[in-house]
């Protein structure tokens, strides 16, 4: 629970407008006195406001189950596990009256919300030994949500060991992710984004598709109580091979398709569709295509604000292979270990808005923010109470694509990245452990895009970092 308090100072919308109206010379159009574009000037009295916020989340979760072997089969015992769970959760997010009324410019003004739900679940798993070395695993889970319905998700897998050192396996199943209470019930918040005023281009007789009328506008978004669950279907097939003692190889091919992804509507698409509807002359509204979406205009044709709701509108198609090597060696100089784990994407497609419908992208492998290869290497050495570990991680290069006459060219390259972590630990005779280490030993910076930014989900902004830890067991 976060206590109420003034988190920062924001500008009060209506007060700022009054301050501006009283300080603009109507003849010259120049600011007289306070100029909001000058950061060195103090804000006038009454144009600032404290933004107060309180957020509380409570949950109760009870889970239990029982396993048993009801019958003995020729190839082994039939194993069964059944269980159930019950969960209650509630969200109570409050903001002050000014923010709730939308009178605070920027920040999270108006983002209060309140909701609760309970979830009852039942699940099972059955392991069926068919013949010696062959097992079938069947599992399923049923969830009943008080706020958006119920769902059942099955999974089946099979494993076969033709010889002691070789395991073949495959699986397929369905999954889901329920919308969070924030997804469902969070109040409207407002931010400012750059967009294109396609509607004004149409009204002025300009071509919509080549419109260049840019504006920085207010975009409002928040929870959507009609959201459904994100759904997925997955398949995999693989092999685990113990080539020799203490050396094994794992190879898996997988495919994952997700639908109904919870995403915020795109403000550019909302304006583009509204302009196309106006061009068709049938008087349609963008809300007919995207429920909850809307656009409000000022008297001069400029945009007042856009409401861009959250909805189940996205999907992805992903395929890839995972490969790992693991080895352990015992010598008189200590025990040595090594492992290499590589993940290679073969396909990565997602959805985007295209003239009022959802379109599937090209294969994004190797594009900016979509590296097609990740490799991790671990080397360790242990002798008596001492251990030394090296961990290396690499991310492949990416490029920003450009197209000329439908021909793809590499527009800008984001370099590949390799980082190194090293650590040493000592286990003392008095049941304690001391560790020292350094992360990002070569002090690598994030790999920046053309505009000087970087993807924080791929790259860590911290440079070389040292640490010391101590733990004591009793």
């Amino acid at each position: 629970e976060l206590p109420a308090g003034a988190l920062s100072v924001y500008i009060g919308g209506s007060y700022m407008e009054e301050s501006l109206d009283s300080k603009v010379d109507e003849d010259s159009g120049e600011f007289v006195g306070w100029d909001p574009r000058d950061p060195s000037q103090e804000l006038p009295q009454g144009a600032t406001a404290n933004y107060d916020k309180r957020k509380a989340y409570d949950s109760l979760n009870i889970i239990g189950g029982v396993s048993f072997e009801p019958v003995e089969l020729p190839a082994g015992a039939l194993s069964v596990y059944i269980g159930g769970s019950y969960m209650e959760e509630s969200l109570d997010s409050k903001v002050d009256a000014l923010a709730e009324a939308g009178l605070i410019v920027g920040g999270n003004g108006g983002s209060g919300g309140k909701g609760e739900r309970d979830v009852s679940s039942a699940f099972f798993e059955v392991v069926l030994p068919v013949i010696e070395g062959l097992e079938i695993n069947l599992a399923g889970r049923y969830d009943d949500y008080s706020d958006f319905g119920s769902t059942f998700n099955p999974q089946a897998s099979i494993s076969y060991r033709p010889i002691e050192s070789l395991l073949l396996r495959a699986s397929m199943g369905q999954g889901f992710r329920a919308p969070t209470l924030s997804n469902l019930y969070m109040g409207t918040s407002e931010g400012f984004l750059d967009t294109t005023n396609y509607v004004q281009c149409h009204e002025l007789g300009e071509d919509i598709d080549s419109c260049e009328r840019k504006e920085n506008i207010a975009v409002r978004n928040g929870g959507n109580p009609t959201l459904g669950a994100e759904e997925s279907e997955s398949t995999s097939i693989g092999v685990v091979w113990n080539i020799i003692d203490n050396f094994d190889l794992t190879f898996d091919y997988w495919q994952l398709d997700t639908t109904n992804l919870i995403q915020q509507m795109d403000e550019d698409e909302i304006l583009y569709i509204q302009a196309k509807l106006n061009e068709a002359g049938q008087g349609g509204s963008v809300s007919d295509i995207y429920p909850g979406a809307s656009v409000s205009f000022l008297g001069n044709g400029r945009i007042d604000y856009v409401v861009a709701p959250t909805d189940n509108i996205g999907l992805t198609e992903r395929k890839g292979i995972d490969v790992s090597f693991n080895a352990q060696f015992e010598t008189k100089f200590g025990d040595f270990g090594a492992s290499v784990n590589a993940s290679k994407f073969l396909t990565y497609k997602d959805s985007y808005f295209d003239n009022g419908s959802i379109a599937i992208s090209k294969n994004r492998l190797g594009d900016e923010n979509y590296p097609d290869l990740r490799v991790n290497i671990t080397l360790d050495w242990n002798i008596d109470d001492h251990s030394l570990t090296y961990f290396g991680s690499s991310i492949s290069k990416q490029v920003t694509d450009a197209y000329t006459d439908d021909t793809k060219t590499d527009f800008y390259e984001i370099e590949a990245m390799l980082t190194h972590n090293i650590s040493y630990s000592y286990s003392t005779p008095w049941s304690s452990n001391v560790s020292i280490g350094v992360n990002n030993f070569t002090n690598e910076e994030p790999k920046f895009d053309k505009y000087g930014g970087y993807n924080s989900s791929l790259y860590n902004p911290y440079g070389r970092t040292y640490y010391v830890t101590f733990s004591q067991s009793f």
Side-chain angles (χ1 to χ4, degrees):
E1 180 174 319
L2 301 178
L7 302 182
S8 186
V9 177
Y10 294 86
I11 300 175
S14 61
Y15 302 115
M16 182 181 69
E17 292 171 4
E18 293 173 3
S19 298
L20 289 178
D21 290 342
S22 63
K23 294 182 179 295
V24 177
D25 187 301
E26 295 182 358
D27 295 328
S28 65
E30 299 291 333
F31 285 98
V32 179
W34 174 57
D35 186 343
R37 300 167 299 182
D38 186 352
S40 65
Q41 294 189 22
E42 292 187 8
L43 289 171
Q45 192 74 16
T48 62
N50 286 329
Y51 169 42
D52 296 331
K53 180 178 182 178
R54 175 185 177 276
K55 185 175 183 179
Y57 173 79
D58 296 306
S59 67
L60 169 67
N61 199 348
I62 302 173
I63 185 171
V66 58
S67 61
F68 56 95
E69 297 177 349
V71 63
E72 185 73 24
L73 301 175
L78 175 69
S79 298
V80 179
Y81 179 85
I82 56 175
S85 66
Y86 176 78
M87 181 181 71
E88 292 180 352
E89 57 179 348
S90 63
L91 172 71
D92 186 4
S93 178
K94 296 179 180 179
V95 295
D96 58 42
L98 285 174
E100 191 69 40
L103 298 178
I104 303 298
V105 176
N108 291 315
S111 59
K114 185 175 182 178
E116 60 184 27
R117 67 155 56 126
D118 60 75
V119 186
S120 300
S121 306
F123 41 86
F124 72 90
E125 183 175 3
V126 178
V127 179
L128 175 65
V130 181
I131 59 174
E132 184 69 27
L134 177 63
E135 282 188 351
I136 294 177
N137 186 298
L138 303 174
R141 181 182 179 96
Y142 172 82
D143 295 276
D144 183 23
Y145 285 76
S146 62
D147 49 0
F148 80 89
S150 60
T151 178
F152 175 73
N153 295 274
Q155 180 173 319
S157 62
I158 184 172
S159 62
Y160 178 52
R161 192 179 294 275
I163 57 176
E164 183 64 27
S165 61
L166 184 65
L167 175 67
L168 308 177
R169 60 189 182 187
S171 67
M172 61 186 305
Q174 297 177 345
F176 84 106
R177 187 183 77 86
T180 65
L181 291 177
S182 293
N183 292 148
L184 294 167
Y185 305 117
M186 189 60 70
T188 301
S189 62
E190 183 177 89
F192 287 81
L193 299 171
D194 293 326
T195 190
T196 303
N197 193 340
Y198 295 103
V199 175
Q200 190 176 52
C201 278
H202 166 67
E203 292 176 349
L204 295 175
E206 299 171 1
D207 180 61
I208 294 175
D209 293 315
S210 59
C211 180
E212 296 184 355
R213 293 186 174 274
K214 304 295 184 180
E215 296 183 30
N216 185 266
I217 66 167
V219 178
R220 300 177 180 178
N221 57 78
N224 181 355
T226 66
L227 285 175
E230 297 180 345
E231 299 176 345
S232 66
E233 293 185 356
S234 62
T235 57
S236 68
I237 183 170
V239 57
V240 180
W241 182 23
N242 295 317
I243 301 174
I244 58 174
D245 288 344
N246 301 321
F247 185 84
D248 63 76
L249 176 149
T250 301
F251 177 93
D252 288 290
Y253 167 84
W254 55 268
Q255 179 174 339
L256 176 63
D257 297 328
T258 56
T259 57
N260 296 328
L261 292 180
I262 298 172
Q263 296 180 343
Q264 182 187 330
M265 294 289 303
D266 182 82
E267 64 279 356
D268 277 313
E269 174 69 9
I270 291 172
L271 287 159
Y272 181 82
I273 292 302
Q274 187 61 66
K276 286 293 187 180
L277 291 172
N278 293 350
E279 185 181 51
Q282 299 177 355
S285 170
V286 66
S287 62
D288 297 332
I289 299 175
Y290 301 132
S294 65
V295 186
S296 178
F297 293 93
L298 300 170
N300 59 5
R302 295 178 67 84
I303 303 166
D304 186 9
Y305 62 85
V306 171
V307 177
T310 301
D311 211 339
N312 296 98
I313 50 179
L315 58 89
T316 63
E317 297 177 4
R318 286 170 282 182
K319 301 176 184 178
I321 56 174
D322 293 334
V323 182
S324 66
F325 302 89
N326 299 281
Q328 299 289 331
F329 304 98
E330 297 180 359
T331 73
K332 63 180 180 179
F333 304 105
D335 299 335
F336 294 86
S339 66
V340 179
N341 297 278
S343 294
K344 169 70 174 177
F345 272 100
L346 303 177
T347 300
Y348 195 115
K349 298 181 180 181
D350 54 17
S351 59
Y352 64 94
F353 295 104
D354 183 23
N355 298 340
S357 61
I358 301 296
I360 304 299
S361 72
K362 63 182 178 64
N363 196 346
R364 297 188 184 275
L365 289 187
D367 287 357
E368 182 178 343
N369 302 322
Y370 298 91
D372 61 348
L373 180 63
R374 303 285 297 268
V375 180
N376 294 328
I377 300 174
T378 303
L379 305 173
D380 57 76
W381 172 57
N382 298 275
I383 184 169
D384 298 329
D385 297 323
H386 306 270
S387 63
L388 184 66
T389 302
Y390 163 83
F391 177 77
S393 179
S394 71
I395 302 174
S396 60
K397 73 174 185 178
Q398 303 130 66
V399 295
T400 302
D401 294 337
Y403 288 85
T404 303
D405 297 329
D406 294 328
T407 300
K408 175 181 174 181
T409 58
D410 294 343
F411 180 63
Y412 182 82
E413 180 177 309
I414 300 173
E415 298 177 351
M417 184 176 185
L418 175 63
T419 57
H420 313 271
N421 300 341
I422 302 173
S423 65
Y424 162 79
S425 65
Y426 170 64
S427 298
T428 71
W430 49 88
S431 302
S432 62
N433 183 273
V434 180
S435 298
I436 60 174
V438 54
N439 292 332
N440 193 0
F441 179 77
T442 54
N443 199 30
E444 300 293 329
E445 293 183 339
K447 298 304 179 182
F448 298 101
D449 58 29
K450 181 182 179 182
Y451 303 101
Y454 68 93
N455 187 330
S456 60
S457 65
L458 292 176
Y459 306 109
N460 192 324
Y462 296 106
R464 185 186 297 114
T465 306
Y466 303 93
Y467 65 89
V468 177
T469 64
F470 174 82
S471 62
Q472 177 68 57
S473 300
F474 298 95

